Amino acid sequence: MSGEYRQAYDRSMTDPDGFWREAAALIDWYTEPETIMDASALPFSRWFAGGELNTCHNALDRHVDAGRGDQVALIHDSPVTDSQQRFTYAELRDLVARFAGVLRSVGVGKGDRVIIYMPMVPEAAVAMLACARLGAVHSVVFGGFAARELAVRIDDATPSAIVSASCGIEGRRIVEYKPLLDRAIELAEHDPGRSIVLQRPQYEAPMTDRDLDWAEAMAAAEPTECVPVAATDPLYVLYTSGTTGKPKGVQRDNGGHAVALRWSLPAIYDVGPGEVMFTASDVGWVVGHSYIVYAPLLTGATTVLYEGKPIGTPDAGAFWRVIQDHRVKALFTAPTAFRGIKKEDPDAVLLRDYDISSLQTLFLAGERLDPETWMWASEKLGVPVVDHWWQTETGWPIAANLRGLEPMELKAGSPSVPCPGYQVDVLDVDGTELPRGEEGAIVIKLPMPPGCLQTLWEDDERFRESYMSRYEGYYLTGDGGYVDDDGYVFVMGRTDDVINVAGHRLSTGSMEEVLAGHPDVAECAVIGVHDAMKGQVPRGFVVLKSGVTRGEDEIAPELVALVRNEVGAVASFKNVAVVPALPKTRSGKVLRKTMRQIADGQDAMVPSTIDDATVLDTLRPVLQKGPQAGG
Ligand code: COA
Ligand code: AMP
């Protein structure tokens, strides 16, 4: 170890202004910031106040102006449509400038919100960057969410326009997005203005008066210049799952975000200008925002936007082919993708057909990386496999092995060490700092570094209450774990009702709300249980209203269909059991954690405050038996 990590980390703690001022020099400013870190109103902090910039300028125009317009900025690789498209920085800049003109023509201006509900097409990135160009605030909604979830986000973000597509493609299945969009607009109370719809050849959607055709609008549009915004103005709002059914609108600024992401790409991922990064996620998640779109483009690298799965279309060699075709240096995905590949091709026979010699590192995040998957990937790929840990709220890694700064020892089960700017502590229930090796709530001491959430969209109170009120002076990550003697962080899992299904963060609360809406259901609980491929999957338990005579075989499929229609296919909600009662404490709280422990075959902690132990005894065999039929 050369000590570069320690030096950088210590400096970020003792001299945050100096550390981040230097990082900010990698960004073009119209007006230099007056202050670097303003922590005078904690738990709210402001970065680079007084500074003015434009994120789209930094992601595109800046590289063109510097003479790199002919370099490839974005590669759309789409095995599901059997196509590949390359866009240079100059081409992407022109498209984005034109689309910004389209948005302006429908009345979108600085500070207005725009919802983007799209599959993995290059136009999704174009729409995001066009918003940034205008100083508008984008809110990308993952395509796997159904109409009701989209409607909730429309009502919260109150957009001035929506950008969507006629369809997405899941394997060989065409998912018609436009009818979902129309339904969401019907369900929402807020009128979202015009929708700009990309018609794809796989499905031509019927258009209404509200809709503008993407291609026609682009043909008529005037290119638009970048609008300077304050560093502290919001760049985007990204909804993520909390413990209740209502998603949280994580708000991120322009300045802190640009600086942190630009710093992170070479330091953590060891990717610099002209190098190729392949992040296999979706633009609807934070991983897609940060490492498909913003960080690679802010850095002047080449990003691969991949429309497909790691397996199935055509086979478990899909990623190897992408690495070979585009000379990918760093691959970033979720562990579940590798569990999927391992399941289909346990000996990685398909790897022999490809030249993946360009690959230097595999990065995994989004869920716990089990040591078995880590070992398998390390052995088969022959490159370092780097687990790293972060969240929608932080926008970039909290803990990682910083491959560009100083590669350090990798330890199974650990996302390595805290990144500069993050003071990670582990606290006991009463707020006492726990000694090394002891498990508790993982927290981050305030202020958080640049790039982290500013607040929740139009809900400062929920921001305080969700993250900042549990332990004063700390941000609550919602994850539990410990730090070992070498300072390595071990993240063991969520301490709340958020679950992680195939790397997708979901709320059991939103599924419970849907189940509770079924006319025969009196009460219900949804828990996340272990799944060999997806890490976790949800399991539902419902108690029927008295007098209901229909049985589980009839009601369970209805409930499965209801969650799929209202939350979305991505919930992977396939198992629900009808039970006589739910175990509760005397104060009426359902013992979800105890249920989860029994279902996962762990030693269950049954609280002394249990109301009626016989209820749990009756439920035990159902939990232990595993999933019930229903989907
Ligand atoms: N639009 C519409 N439907 C979508 C969707 C989208 N963008 N994304 C997923 N879905 C659907 C899927 O088609 C599937 O439907 P089904 O129940 O009819 O089969 C369902 O939602 C569940 O999707 P998923 O959890 O992705 O499971 P899968 O079986 O299709 O694929 C993996 C499993 C492991 C291959 C897949 O989850 C994967 O590649 N994960 C990579 C990790 C990742 O992207 N993580 C994001 C954060 S880093
Ligand atoms: P998201 O906000 O969708 O990125 O999900 C964030 C959550 O995913 C975290 O709070 C963790 O629970 C989980 N997570 C992400 N990365 C890791 C990791 N490397 N190890 C363990 N859990 C992780």
Side-chain angles (χ1 to χ4, degrees):
M1 217 193 283
S2 63
E4 279 202 49
Y5 160 72
R6 180 47 52 201
Q7 232 180 5
Y9 183 81
D10 289 349
R11 174 141 189 254
S12 76
M13 290 292 129
T14 54
D15 176 21
D17 276 10
F19 184 90
W20 292 111
R21 184 182 291 108
E22 257 169 46
L26 295 169
I27 292 298
D28 263 4
W29 300 89
Y30 300 116
T31 313
E32 291 290 326
E34 284 157 19
T35 53
I36 303 299
M37 179 177 82
D38 173 3
S40 59
L42 290 179
F44 300 92
S45 31
R46 297 190 327 148
W47 284 92
F48 309 109
E52 276 195 319
L53 76 162
N54 181 281
T55 298
C56 178
H57 165 83
N58 276 283
L60 300 174
D61 304 58
R62 171 178 197 194
H63 307 303
V64 179
D65 298 347
R68 308 202 22 239
D70 291 338
Q71 187 204 300
V72 176
L74 186 145
I75 301 168
H76 180 231
D77 187 306
S78 171
V80 292
T81 57
D82 199 18
S83 68
Q84 281 186 22
Q85 250 184 308
R86 287 159 185 270
F87 303 86
T88 64
Y89 270 97
E91 286 166 343
L92 195 58
R93 193 262 326 256
D94 291 348
L95 281 172
V96 168
R98 202 164 264 283
F99 193 67
V102 173
L103 289 175
R104 181 166 277 174
S105 73
V106 299
V108 174
K110 190 167 165 175
D112 292 339
R113 276 79 55 214
V114 175
I115 282 197
I116 301 173
Y117 181 61
M118 295 186 101
M120 286 291 283
V121 287
E123 288 81 358
V126 168
M128 290 165 75
L129 291 158
C131 290
R133 195 170 188 87
L134 293 176
V137 180
H138 61 70
S139 186
V140 184
V141 178
F142 175 61
F145 282 124
R148 194 189 73 125
E149 292 285 329
L150 179 56
V152 169
R153 288 156 174 81
I154 292 174
D155 281 338
D156 198 70
T158 60
S160 308
I162 298 194
V163 187
S164 190
S166 58
C167 68
I169 301 144
E170 282 288 298
R172 291 183 213 299
R173 184 165 62 96
I174 306 285
V175 181
E176 295 174 6
Y177 277 46
K178 181 61 174 31
L180 294 174
L181 171 67
D182 292 342
R183 175 80 188 122
I185 293 175
E186 243 173 66
L187 289 172
E189 278 173 23
H190 172 77
D191 176 354
R194 306 298 297 267
S195 22
I196 301 139
V197 180
L198 175 76
Q199 291 280 17
R200 303 188 76 189
Q202 293 76 13
Y203 166 68
E204 182 154 349
M207 302 285 263
T208 65
D209 288 350
R210 156 190 310 282
D211 305 321
L212 276 178
D213 177 274
W214 174 290
E216 286 171 19
M218 281 293 263
E222 286 290 322
T224 299
E225 287 309 307
C226 294
V227 175
V229 298
T232 49
D233 280 345
L235 169 70
Y236 70 74
V237 174
L238 176 58
Y239 288 90
T240 190
S241 301
T243 45
T244 66
K246 187 173 186 281
K248 294 168 167 172
V250 167
Q251 178 182 320
R252 188 150 284 127
D253 61 359
N254 275 274
H257 171 258
V259 173
L261 290 195
R262 175 66 186 85
W263 182 85
S264 73
L265 202 71
I268 299 175
Y269 298 91
D270 195 21
V271 171
E275 295 181 325
V276 185
M277 173 133 195
F278 169 25
T279 299
S281 175
D282 190 286
V283 287
W285 304 111
V286 71
V287 172
H289 277 59
S290 295
Y291 294 104
I292 296 175
V293 181
Y294 285 113
L297 298 179
L298 287 165
T299 306
T302 299
T303 186
V304 179
L305 190 137
Y306 177 75
E307 186 179 22
K309 301 260 170 185
I311 51 179
T313 316
D315 57 27
F319 281 3
W320 320 146
R321 198 267 308 149
V322 175
I323 295 169
Q324 170 184 277
D325 282 3
H326 311 305
R327 305 294 301 153
V328 169
K329 183 176 182 190
L331 166 62
F332 175 3
T333 189
T336 186
F338 268 76
R339 288 197 295 270
I341 297 171
K342 176 169 166 255
K343 186 163 169 241
E344 299 257 303
D345 183 15
D347 297 320
V349 177
L350 292 168
L351 250 179
R352 292 184 208 138
D353 298 340
Y354 301 95
D355 170 9
I356 63 154
S357 57
S358 61
L359 186 72
Q360 296 205 353
T361 322
L362 166 65
F363 293 90
L364 297 173
E367 52 167 331
R368 183 168 158 72
L369 172 57
D370 50 293
E372 200 188 319
T373 305
W374 181 66
M375 307 268 278
W376 185 86
S378 309
E379 185 200 311
K380 300 298 179 214
L381 295 183
V383 299
V385 176
V386 175
D387 181 11
H388 59 315
W389 167 61
W390 52 296
Q391 318 178 301
T392 306
E393 287 84 349
T394 64
W396 64 285
I398 307 167
N401 206 292
L402 294 94
R403 306 306 291 177
L405 194 64
E406 181 190 355
M408 293 163 72
E409 182 198 350
L410 296 164
K411 293 192 191 187
S414 169
S416 298
V417 294
C419 292
Y422 292 99
Q423 182 180 325
V424 176
D425 288 324
V426 178
L427 304 182
D428 185 350
V429 269
D430 63 11
T432 319
E433 201 176 312
L434 288 167
R436 295 269 163 114
E438 274 189 40
E439 204 172 316
I442 315 185
V443 294
I444 299 167
K445 189 153 180 11
L446 299 180
M448 312 244 278
C452 294
L453 81 170
Q454 294 176 290
T455 185
L456 293 177
W457 177 250
E458 302 220 307
D459 204 346
D460 286 350
E461 201 33 55
R462 192 173 180 202
F463 167 77
R464 279 177 199 277
E465 177 237 318
S466 310
Y467 304 109
M468 308 297 184
S469 63
R470 180 70 187 81
Y471 300 108
E472 210 190 320
Y474 293 94
Y475 162 83
L476 184 73
T477 65
D479 284 310
Y482 63 94
V483 177
D484 77 2
D485 287 338
D486 298 327
Y488 276 59
V489 181
F490 287 74
V491 182
M492 307 311 287
R494 298 286 305 190
T495 54
D496 54 17
D497 294 325
V498 166
I499 60 170
N500 212 307
V501 181
H504 309 312
R505 174 166 159 185
L506 297 164
S507 155
T508 53
S510 73
M511 295 180 224
E512 287 180 1
E513 268 182 23
V514 172
L515 296 180
H518 187 284
D520 292 346
V521 171
E523 54 179 349
C524 62
V526 175
I527 57 170
V529 297
H530 176 75
D531 180 80
M533 167 124 125
K534 296 196 176 190
Q536 272 187 313
V537 286
R539 273 185 78 186
F541 299 87
V542 295
V543 178
L544 299 181
K545 287 182 181 157
S546 63
V548 174
T549 50
R550 299 193 308 144
E552 183 176 283
D553 3 339
E554 266 185 78
I555 292 173
E558 286 175 15
L559 294 171
V560 166
L562 204 59
V563 174
R564 191 179 170 93
N565 289 338
E566 303 231 332
V567 178
V570 69
S572 294
F573 182 85
K574 303 210 164 149
N575 305 299
V576 57
V578 172
V579 295
L582 293 171
K584 292 183 188 164
T585 60
R586 281 192 282 279
S587 60
K589 205 168 167 298
V590 176
L591 297 174
R592 291 183 181 77
K593 188 170 171 195
T594 311
M595 289 168 67
R596 196 174 68 223
Q597 286 167 333
I598 297 173
D600 282 346
Q602 299 167 6
D603 288 339
M605 297 203 332
V606 184
S608 57
T609 54
I610 188 164
D611 183 39
D612 178 357
T614 56
V615 173
L616 190 60
D617 291 340
T618 315
L619 198 57
R620 205 178 284 273
V622 181
L623 287 161
Q624 284 166 339
K625 200 164 70 180
Q628 298 298 292

